[in-house]
Each structure stands twice: as structure tokens, then as C-alpha cells.
Amino acid sequence: MASSVAVFAVVTGVAVPSVATAAPAGASVVTQTSDEVRTNAAAIVGLTVTPELLRVSESDFVYEIYQAAKLRGETAQEVQFAALDAYTGGWTSLFLKTGIYEAHQRDLDREAVYQARRAERQPAATLLGFELTSLLLANDDKNFVFALWERAAKGSFVKSSAGRVFSGTPAEQKEFIVRGIFIEHQRDADAAKEAAEKEAAEKKLRDARVKAAAVVGMDPALAAQLTDEYFVQQIWTRDLAPRDSEVWYRAYHSRTPEQWRTFIDTGIFEAAAKDKVDGIKVRAAAVVGIEAGYARYLQEGPLVREIWNRARSGSQVQAAAYRALQSESPAQWRVFLEKDIFVADAADKS
């Protein structure tokens, strides 16, 4: 038997299972079997029996069964092994009478085990995205857990749990394959979702700081790295905005996390808009000698009136201010402060 197994391994290149049909003593004596025995044996592997096939030698007939079993693949693996062993070992009669049925039963028993394992293991294999091969079905639960550990993502809860369970009891290994891996995978999914949400939130904060940094000319790369607190502090400690500006004032008075965030999201833009208007008012007020602080304090309408009051009587500046006042239009007040006052002042000086 040992020699025949060795020959099988050389011929097929496949390791022979530990369970194999043993040839009885004296099996080298070949006796011809009946057509009925051959026909029944051939049916096991779906081999069509023809008159010509019944006339071949018993050894050749067993070889035909071997070829047919080979075509059926794993479902007739034990029959294939036994047929080749009988062919090379000279116990073909016994094989046709009983050996093929014993081998076929081993195939059925193995397939039953594989079906049960497939039902248990396929969901886990699908979860990790790999094919459930016959080799993996042949492994016991412990070795299958090892296969799961190998394929799990580095640093995942699945991999960590599989590593622990590998050294556990058979019951723990079975539980991990059937249920535990899905619990750990959900933990991985939840952690990934949480990390993605955290990253999205942090990106939103970074983007807001970069956008706000443009108002005061701060390096966007620096703004992205700073915390909200240090971003706001940079503005008033490094004089990124003039000390008499609304931007500087609001930054200086932002001292809590909520205030920092409000300043970055909206406050700095509101302050910059006010600084722009204040700049317009200060420049226009200077034409008639109004102090900058007072100009910032006044609204645009009252400032136009103050300019009209302070302008030289009969001047173009006074006339332009009067027209703006008479319009009662905020838009016209802005046009006067931005442009018309300077046109009128130039006319007065010409």
C-alpha cells in the first residue's frame, strides 16, 4: 500500500489523504469481475459503459474509472485516489467490488463536512473578501481563524480579536467564525465612520481658518495648523490687523472657544466689512477736518450731514453733501463718501 501511495503522489502531484483503501494481502492476484460489478462501479463516477469498455482488461477498466473520477474533481477525490492506488497496486477486483463504494462514502462524508463548514465560514470569507477554497474547508476552525487573521486589516478589531481567539478554545473559535467576526467588523466600521466624521469636522475647521486668514494676510498653511485659540491670538498679538480696527478689537475680545469659533466663521468678515466702511468714512471726513474716531462713530447719513455742516460755505463739497442729503438714499451717501466728495474737493482746489 505504501508503495502504491508513493506512485500515486508521483503520478498526480497531489498528496494522498491519510485515509485510503488498503489492499488486502495477496491482492496482486487479479481476477476478472462480472459485467454487473463493472457497470455498478462505473455508475459511481458517471462513466458510460459500452460493450467495448466491458471487453477491456480489468486494470484498464479501473483506469477508466480513475479518469472519470478525475473529471468530477473534488466530489470524487477519494474515488480517484483509490482507483489509481488499485490500478498501480494490483487490487482492481476488490476495488470494483467494495473499494470504490468505501471511497465514494468517504467523498460523501467529506462533502457533508465541507457543506456544514461552508455554511458557517462563507459569510466570514465574504466579509473579508476572499474565496473559500477547499483547502480552507479542510482546515479545522483554529486554522480557519488563522486564515481570517492573515486577511484582516492591520490594526483592525477583527485582526486583534482573531489573534486572541486563535489561542482560545474550539468553542470560542467557532463562535468567532459564526458571530464574533461580524461584531468586530461592525466595531471597525463604526470606528472608521467616527474617524471620517472627525476628519471632516476638522477639515471644515481648517478650511474656515484658512478662509479667515485671507482677511488679515496670514499664511494659509499656518492658519490650517493653528488651533482656533492661537489663530485668534495671532491676529491681536502679532498686529495682523491695525489696533484701531474692528478686526483687531473683536479678536482681542474673543476669549472662549465659542467666541473664537464665531469670530473665525463670521465675526472676522463682519469686522472687515465694518473696517472697510470705516475707512471710507475716515478718508471722506478728513476732507473737512473731522477727527477719525468721531467719523468711525457716526453712521453714514449723519456723517454726510456733519460734512455739510463743516464744509466751507458755498464750496463744491458743501453742495455735493447737500445733494446727497436731499436724496435720502444710503446708496447715494456711500457714493458721496467714496467718490463725490473727492471730486468736489478737487474742484474747490482748482
Side-chain angles (χ1 to χ4, degrees), residues 30-78:
V30 179
T31 59
Q32 292 297 321
T33 49
S34 68
D35 290 352
E36 181 182 4
V37 169
R38 291 190 180 195
T39 301
N40 291 340
I44 295 295
V45 292
L47 176 63
T48 301
V49 178
T50 63
E52 292 78 10
L53 188 59
L54 291 174
R55 286 194 293 270
V56 302
S57 69
E58 188 174 84
S59 178
D60 288 344
F61 188 82
V62 169
Y63 188 77
E64 290 297 324
I65 288 179
Y66 160 73
Q67 293 283 39
K70 193 174 180 182
L71 291 175
R72 294 173 71 89
E74 293 179 355
T75 60
Q77 183 174 282
E78 291 290 334

Side-chain angles (χ1 to χ4, degrees), residues 1 3-12 20-24 27-32 38 53 56-70 78-97 99-100 103:
M1 176 64 180
S3 62
S4 63
V5 171
V7 172
F8 172 76
V10 171
V11 173
T12 65
T21 302
S28 59
V29 179
V30 179
T31 59
Q32 292 297 321
R38 291 190 180 195
L53 188 59
V56 302
S57 69
E58 188 174 84
S59 178
D60 288 344
F61 188 82
V62 169
Y63 188 77
E64 290 297 324
I65 288 179
Y66 160 73
Q67 293 283 39
K70 193 174 180 182
E78 291 290 334
V79 172
Q80 178 188 336
F81 293 158
L84 191 58
D85 192 56
Y87 175 77
T88 57
W91 55 284
T92 53
S93 294
L94 184 61
F95 170 77
L96 292 173
K97 291 177 181 177
I100 189 171

Side-chain angles (χ1 to χ4, degrees), residues 140-152:
D140 60 13
D141 285 346
K142 181 174 184 176
N143 283 316
F144 186 68
V145 168
F146 181 77
L148 295 174
W149 176 86
E150 283 185 309
R151 291 162 174 81

